[in-house]
Amino acid sequence: MIADASNFVQSVDSTFIFIVAVCVFFLVLITVLMITFVVKYNSKRNKKAVNVHGSIPLEITWTVVPTLLVLVMFWMGWTGYKQMTDAPKDSMVVDVYAQMWSWSYKYANGVESDTLYVPLNRPVKVLLHSRDVDHSFYVPAFKMKKDVIPNRINTAWFQPMRLGTYEVMCAEYCGLRHSYMYSAVVVMPEDRYNAWMTQQVQKQKQDSTADSSTSEKSM
Amino acid sequence: MASDSIALDHNGHEPSYLEYEGKHKGLLGWILSTDHKRIGILYLISILSFFAVGVTLGFLIRLELLTPQGTIVGPQAYNEFFTLHGVIMIFIVVIPVIPAVFGNFFLPIMLGAKDVAFPRLNLLTWYLYIIGGTLVLLSLILPGGAADTGWTFYVPYSVRTGTNMIFTLTAVFILGFSSILTGLNFLTTIHRIRAPQMGWFKMPLFAWSLYATSWIQVIVTPIVGITLLMVIVERVFHVGIFDPSLGGDPLLFQHMFWMYSHPAVYIIIVPAMGVISEVIPVFSHRTIFGYKFIAYSSLAIALFGSLVWAHHMFATGMSDTAEFVFSLLTFVVAIPSAIKVFNWTATLYKGSIELEAPLLYALAFIFLFSIGGLTGIIQGALNVDIYLTDTYFIVGHIHYVVFGGTGMGLFAALHYWLPKMFGRMYNKKVARVAFWFVFVGFNVLYFPFFILGWMGMPRRSYHYLPQFQTYHVISTVGSWILVIGLVLMLGNLLRSLINGKKITERNIWGGETLEWTVETPPTFENFENIPDVINGPYEYKQNEPATIEEEVK
Ligand code: HEM
Ligand SMILES: [Cu+2]
Ligand SMILES: [Cu+2]
């Protein structure tokens, strides 16, 4: 079996499937009843209608049964959601910056990137910053999303469980090029991730020395 | 209304409200008339015209989405299209349509009254409506371009964009006034001028639905008015209210916006539920199942529906307590709607059913609105909503609830009441054919939205990834089928007004509510004498349209 892309996929999928199953049951029930009645009690076949004013037992049944069912759905949704809010203590922290119309990422050691590289199976906590208007950090494959709102740091987390490259999209409309505001999460094996990080750190050092030497010259 | 000066025509017949001539003649006799029926017709014409504009925009949006980008327009035009489409459909079409057209026309008659409580105020609401609608259309023509924020106007973007936001915001503010005044008028009418014997539980369910709706309109519309006014102030005077760069709070805007706009969903849907509650018993020739449960569930919806607004904000990072409470209440508010659906279905049981166009639309309402409601439940579950919010799933949900619900309710009402209003019958065969185009087109157009949403396609997207294209193509083809159906349906109704079969029969469908006891079309004063109301609204008699009595279980 292929692993889920993230730790949330399973709870979202099972809640979704449970609710859809209940919904399909009720939709089919209502539809079949409607069609049956329309055919069976058609005025051509059934000349005399009967005034049935109501039925208290039926009213109780169709109030209580749906109420119990929705309470179960609510609970599944809530427990799944709780899992999304509580990031593990040992999570790797990344700052995410959203601006019209691009994403950028900053790691704890100061490394910056346009693509989010993360190691497999390591929980990642994202701190979401907006530089202008509302955006929403959305990784469909991970089944996670969180709004990015200016002047407020929202957090979210996920644990990538399958290697690969996944789209990051903006889910909150933010103007002209909202629908082009893509980036990617790349899930790598731990060692490749470390190699990438080392390389980035070195590059950053070179850049900063180059920067300071140019600025010295211009002085 | 003064009643001393009604001229009888040469047959000694009172003229209908269509022929009646008061102080003004011709066009002035319409646009200055305070007759609730004429105002209903004014609204009918204006709202259907805006509906045509909205449908055209929807059609263009679908055409653009045929390919991943650049089919017919650029991104800026696209963003203005979906904003204008949403603003027109929500604020100018579905919020007012059923109360302003059929409420105005039939509520007084159903209650045994000669007009609404405040006829002049009633006319004022129409002028406010026209001013609001015109401002929205102006924003499109004037330099700067139409609003491009989506119909939700989220700050900070709506404070910063260079488009004609002020027109659109002012328009919605003015339309809000129109809505509040209509609500106030109906509340007073229902409380004060029912016929003496018209007790609360003898009122038709359509009147009950307008009663519940009016309360929501009066209570929550001021909130959106004030909120949008604050956005205008913020844009013009740079006062920090919602925009954080000026020191404001963007989430405050979202709370205030949804405090109105969620209950607005019930302003939109409850009157349509009222229509369905009329149509189903009439075409089943039997009493409605669970009258009191349907009446009370409207009030329960109005009450609980006002307490769930933040379910639009589950992904904004609210506190756990808020998420918990708003999700729980969202599930609770589904129950009264479910109760209604079950009672309507049970009303078909042991009926003597005539499958005319109004009933077809009513059954389509039940089916489509059930899908809309059930997909709402799916998004009530917190973890699932986090995944689905702001995707095409929600766009599918909106259309199934609002178009599948209120749209079908409107079409049922048109086919049910238009012959009464104009004394002309449409071609029933064409009406049935048009229905099937509408129904099939609707599902081909909107069902793919659920699949796209589950696949992860964000809403309000001009451009999309290639893996989504198949479903977009199917959906666009659906929009063509739907538009054919709509043109056929409205064309058939329009044609009937010009040369449809004339009818003078009072009770066209065998209904038991009071509008079927007055002349077709109704006279200026509705009733010669205030009617006696002996029976409840759905008491089909044993000998009349084929009904037998059964004891209440
Ligand atoms: C032929 C008829 C229609 C078509 C083809 C159509 C199509 C669409 C499409 C494709 C969108 C998504 C735009 C996007 O997210 O990029 C949309 C949005 C919307 N539609 Fe429709 N629609 C139609 C009728 C209606 C009706 C009758 C209503 C209301 C009763 C309605 C209300 C809305 C609303 C509120 C939105 C959201 C706008 C926004 O996101 O700002 N539509 N429509
Ligand atoms: Cu965006
Ligand atoms: Cu809502």
Side-chain angles (χ1 to χ4, degrees), chain B residues 71-299:
Chain B
T71 320
I72 51 167
V73 290
Q76 183 60 32
Y78 180 84
N79 294 348
E80 291 175 19
F81 280 4
F82 74 69
T83 302
L84 215 54
H85 170 75
V87 167
I88 290 180
M89 287 303 195
I90 296 290
F91 296 109
I92 308 187
V93 177
V94 289
I95 287 182
V97 67
I98 292 180
V101 178
F102 299 102
N104 260 327
F105 200 107
F106 288 109
L107 179 68
I109 306 185
M110 282 179 156
L111 299 177
K114 292 190 170 178
D115 206 321
V116 291
F118 308 114
R120 288 192 198 160
L121 202 62
N122 202 9
L123 183 62
L124 176 65
T125 69
W126 181 72
Y127 279 98
L128 292 174
Y129 173 86
I130 291 296
I131 295 172
T134 313
L135 277 179
V136 169
L137 292 183
L138 268 182
S139 77
L140 185 62
I141 305 164
L142 291 176
D148 64 340
T149 57
W151 73 279
T152 47
F153 310 125
Y154 273 17
V155 180
Y157 187 69
S158 60
V159 170
R160 299 185 190 181
T161 175
T163 51
N164 294 325
M165 286 307 298
I166 293 186
F167 281 84
T168 314
L169 294 171
T170 311
V172 175
F173 179 78
I174 294 174
L175 289 163
F177 264 101
S178 170
S179 181
I180 294 171
L181 295 179
T182 300
L184 211 59
N185 212 343
F186 285 1
L187 284 179
T188 318
T189 307
I190 293 172
H191 272 278
R192 306 296 302 167
I193 56 175
R194 278 173 287 142
Q197 289 157 317
M198 177 62 76
W200 282 93
F201 289 107
K202 282 188 182 171
M203 280 196 332
L205 287 164
F206 183 59
W208 267 104
S209 76
L210 291 177
Y211 183 69
T213 308
S214 301
W215 274 114
I216 319 178
Q217 274 170 287
V218 170
I219 293 171
V220 300
T221 315
I223 305 175
V224 79
I226 293 294
T227 310
L228 299 183
L229 204 60
M230 291 202 280
V231 177
I232 296 177
V233 168
E234 192 158 16
R235 271 184 79 95
V236 177
F237 300 108
H238 304 284
V239 181
I241 303 169
F242 303 125
D243 186 341
S245 69
L246 302 169
D249 178 3
L251 284 189
L252 180 64
F253 174 83
Q254 294 193 22
H255 276 292
M256 292 182 69
F257 182 82
W258 289 115
M259 239 177 249
Y260 165 74
S261 294
H262 186 80
V265 173
Y266 300 106
I267 298 178
I268 292 167
I269 197 70
V270 172
M273 291 171 156
V275 173
I276 302 310
S277 306
E278 297 302 318
V279 166
I280 293 182
V282 169
F283 291 90
S284 308
H285 293 301
R286 49 151 289 181
T287 190
I288 189 137
F289 197 93
Y291 171 90
K292 282 202 178 171
F293 290 89
I294 296 185
Y296 283 133
S297 62
S298 288
L299 296 181

Side-chain angles (χ1 to χ4, degrees), chain B residues 18 44 78 145 159 245 266 268 276 303 357 375 397 414 438 491 507:
Chain B
L18 291 167
L44 177 70
Y78 180 84
V159 170
S245 69
Y266 300 106
I268 292 167
I276 302 310
L303 180 69
T375 51
H397 164 72
L414 284 171
V438 169
N507 198 345

Side-chain angles (χ1 to χ4, degrees), chain A residues 8 11-17 19-20 22-24 26-27 29-31 33-35 37-44 46-60 62-71 73-86 100-101 131-134 136 138-152 154-155 167 169-182, chain B residues 69 75-76 79 82 148-150 154-157 160 244 248 250-251 254 284-291 293 314-318 320-321 323-324 327-328 331-332 334-335 338-339 341-343 345-346 348-355 363 366-367 370-371 374-375 377-378 381-391 393 453-465 467-468 538-540 542-543 545-553:
Chain A
F8 302 132
S11 93
V12 172
D13 283 1
S14 56
T15 312
F16 181 75
I17 289 167
I19 303 180
V20 169
V22 173
C23 291
V24 168
F26 277 102
L27 185 67
L29 179 76
I30 291 289
T31 311
L33 282 177
M34 276 195 312
I35 295 175
F37 290 163
V38 168
V39 172
K40 189 163 168 203
Y41 301 116
N42 198 289
S43 59
K44 289 190 202 91
N46 196 35
K47 298 249 181 311
K48 277 233 171 269
V50 181
N51 270 339
V52 189
H53 288 265
S55 150
I56 301 291
L58 269 179
E59 298 284 352
I60 293 174
W62 63 47
T63 308
V64 172
V65 172
T67 305
L68 295 177
L69 282 170
V70 296
L71 288 178
M73 296 171 187
F74 162 73
W75 194 252
M76 291 177 81
W78 165 249
T79 48
Y81 176 78
K82 263 319 265 179
Q83 188 199 1
M84 293 175 169
T85 56
D86 303 337
M100 292 151 112
W101 294 276
R131 294 204 165 109
D132 37 52
V133 300
D134 294 353
S136 190
Y138 179 33
V139 188
F142 294 172
K143 301 236 151 79
M144 61 91 61
K145 170 186 300 126
K146 195 82 172 197
D147 288 357
V148 189
I149 293 165
N151 223 13
R152 172 189 176 96
N154 274 336
T155 62
E167 278 118 13
M169 303 180 179
C170 177
E172 186 67 63
Y173 174 73
C174 56
L176 187 66
R177 292 184 62 80
H178 158 68
S179 62
Y180 293 92
M181 191 168 154
Y182 287 101
Chain B
Q69 60 179 322
Q76 183 60 32
N79 294 348
F82 74 69
D148 64 340
T149 57
Y154 273 17
V155 180
Y157 187 69
R160 299 185 190 181
L251 284 189
Q254 294 193 22
S284 308
H285 293 301
R286 49 151 289 181
T287 190
I288 189 137
F289 197 93
Y291 171 90
F293 290 89
F314 285 151
T316 58
M318 292 186 297
D320 281 0
T321 319
E323 303 266 346
F324 184 97
S327 170
L328 185 60
F331 279 108
V332 171
I335 305 292
I339 292 173
V341 168
F342 291 128
N343 279 297
T345 311
L348 297 167
Y349 176 68
K350 291 197 177 169
S352 178
I353 299 169
E354 277 171 283
L355 204 54
L363 299 180
I366 298 184
F367 180 76
S370 294
I371 296 181
L374 293 168
T375 51
I377 292 185
I378 294 175
L382 285 168
N383 58 349
V384 179
D385 181 74
I386 291 294
Y387 177 53
L388 290 177
T389 185
D390 276 321
T391 67
F393 200 90
W454 182 250
M455 288 167 75
M457 159 97 198
R459 73 190 281 201
R460 298 176 174 168
S461 292
Y462 167 74
H463 155 261
Y464 58 82
L465 298 173
Q467 68 258 34
F468 299 128
Y538 309 103
E539 298 299 315
Y540 294 91
Q542 295 205 341
N543 46 356
T547 309
I548 352 175
E549 210 46 48
E550 186 170 283
E551 282 304 302
V552 186
K553 279 185 218 150

Side-chain angles (χ1 to χ4, degrees), chain B residues 51 54-55 58-59 61-62 65 78 82-83 85-87 89-90 93-94 149-152 392 395 398-399 402-403 407 445-446 449 458-462 479 482-483 486:
Chain B
F51 180 68
V55 167
F59 179 82
I61 295 173
R62 279 310 334 158
L65 293 175
Y78 180 84
F82 74 69
T83 302
H85 170 75
V87 167
M89 287 303 195
I90 296 290
V93 177
V94 289
T149 57
W151 73 279
T152 47
Y392 257 69
V395 187
I398 298 175
H399 286 95
V402 176
F403 193 1
L445 164 59
Y446 296 121
F449 285 17
R459 73 190 281 201
R460 298 176 174 168
S461 292
Y462 167 74
S479 75
L482 176 64
V483 167
L486 290 176

